[in-house]
Amino acid sequence: MTDDAHRAILRQILGDARVAMPSGGTAETGGDGRFALRLETARAMRDDFGMTGVVEDCAALRLRLDDLGEQVTPERLSVVLRGSSGRLGLAVYSPDLAMALLEWRLLGMLASEAPETRQLTATDAAILADLTDPLLSRFGGAMAALPGGDWAAGYAQGNVIEDARHLPLILAQGGYHGFRLTLRLGEGLRGGDLFLALPESPAPAPAKTAEEDGTPWPDALRSGVLGAELVLNAVLWRMRLSAAEIGRLRPGDLVPIPAAALTAVRLEGQGRVAIAEGRLGQSNGERAIKIAGAEDEAPGLVGLSTMPGLAAPPPAFASDAAEDAADFPVAADFPAMADLADEADFPAMGDFPALGEFDPEAADFDADFPAFAQN
């Protein structure tokens, strides 16, 4: 007679309280959780589910998150196990076991032959929670009496998992305590497998010093605000066109931009809020905008620099452009629109053709000007 059978007889004679669960950590005594899981599964089926069941086998496994994906298949019923402190586990019912348990719960009887399998749903999982929840509660309570067994406490059934690809998005990386139980129900003609996986106990967080315990609120606010990402738009020029004029625009048409726009480029935030102004030029061979001085700051930039408790740092792109001030052309260096027209046979502003009527072959301007106008 096995050791488990001896303990079962002693519990019936003396009561559960007088037969202590073994506290050793060896495989023979089941300190890894197998003994407690076999015993509490049989109890949960008899006392909470109202059905006689025998655990024929219980194998303990050490798994990683990548190993759990093999257990989740379309024909099985896979559910998340929600534990305390946000920890999540996994339970998987084989189709034969799930159909047998559902048949007993809904009909109160168990046929000798298994019915044809079907797709298991979240409704089936809600019914099987009558077995899953008390089984986990009993198992967690039994393991809590063992040293280092708190990893099994506080779990209950959660949502259904329909695709194994969802596991890395739901469960955490790390090690898992895995168990595969083989159950026989009723007269032993029906049964199947139940797979459980519970995360190992997380490593305790290192104690924080008094300085690290909390960041002062003003410093945290400043760090959060100044670290936020902002989107800036450089606006060279805005103009209004009618719907008819916009409809006549074709590839190759040119939209006139006044020369004064080069010295009045605006940096705007969301909602067209003016942050700063500057002039268009180049730095290291690329287009750049040189921010105007403090005396010419836009209201938006002044507002940022004068917020209580905040010191707005200068924009990075402004300092980069200032480093190459010797190569940065001033506004006077940009040719006027009339001079461009004289050098490239470009029509004067007063003679600019109507939109849609411009003939690019009629104006023999050099190859560099279209790129400049586009930029």
Side-chain angles (χ1 to χ4, degrees), residues 52-344:
T52 302
V54 177
V55 181
E56 289 188 341
D57 185 40
C58 180
L61 309 169
R62 286 299 178 93
L63 305 171
R64 308 294 294 180
L65 177 59
D66 297 339
D67 304 325
L68 301 184
E70 302 175 358
Q71 309 298 327
V72 180
T73 58
E75 67 274 6
R76 298 175 182 173
L77 181 62
S78 306
V79 294
V80 176
L81 303 180
R82 300 188 177 277
S84 58
S85 303
R87 295 186 298 172
L88 299 176
L90 177 68
V92 180
Y93 284 90
S94 68
D96 296 338
L97 178 61
M99 293 297 295
L101 294 174
L102 291 170
E103 183 178 337
W104 173 265
R105 197 61 168 173
L106 297 176
L107 302 179
M109 57 177 295
L110 195 62
S112 58
E113 295 183 1
E116 184 178 355
T117 59
R118 58 176 176 81
Q119 184 69 34
L120 298 171
T121 65
T123 303
D124 300 325
I127 298 174
L128 293 182
D130 293 342
L131 174 62
T132 308
D133 287 347
L135 187 158
L136 294 172
S137 178
R138 289 174 176 271
F139 177 52
M143 292 299 297
L146 299 177
D150 56 343
W151 53 266
Y155 284 92
Q157 181 173 304
N159 300 332
V160 174
I161 300 178
E162 299 179 352
D163 195 332
R165 293 174 296 181
H166 298 165
L167 283 179
L169 305 177
I170 300 175
L171 303 184
Q173 295 286 345
Y176 285 81
H177 296 278
F179 300 93
R180 186 180 303 279
L181 295 91
T182 301
L183 286 79
R184 289 298 166 187
L185 310 178
E187 298 179 357
L189 302 178
R190 303 277 296 278
D193 296 335
L194 172 61
F195 174 82
L196 297 176
L198 301 178
E200 298 176 352
S201 297
K208 294 184 178 180
T209 62
E211 293 77 7
E212 298 174 346
D213 189 47
T215 304
W217 172 247
D219 295 340
L221 177 61
R222 185 190 299 94
S223 176
V225 172
L226 297 182
E229 181 178 347
L230 299 178
V231 178
L232 297 180
N233 297 320
V235 180
L236 180 63
W237 176 253
R238 280 195 176 95
M239 63 182 304
R240 292 180 177 272
L241 295 176
S242 65
E245 291 174 324
I246 294 176
R248 290 196 298 267
L249 289 176
R250 296 294 184 270
D253 291 348
L254 299 180
V255 178
I257 298 177
L262 301 176
T263 59
V265 182
R266 290 163 55 92
L267 290 180
E268 297 182 353
Q270 296 294 333
R272 294 188 179 182
V273 177
I275 302 299
E277 292 185 356
R279 67 173 185 267
L280 179 65
Q282 65 178 5
S283 177
N284 297 327
E286 297 183 355
R287 298 296 180 188
I289 299 174
K290 187 173 184 180
I291 305 299
E295 64 278 1
D296 300 328
E297 285 183 341
L301 188 60
V302 175
L304 283 178
S305 60
T306 57
M307 289 180 62
L310 298 179
F317 52 82
S319 59
D320 294 341
E323 292 178 357
D324 197 15
D327 297 335
F328 197 95
V330 297
D333 296 335
F334 284 96
M337 296 298 292
D339 297 337
L340 289 174
D342 294 339
E343 295 177 5

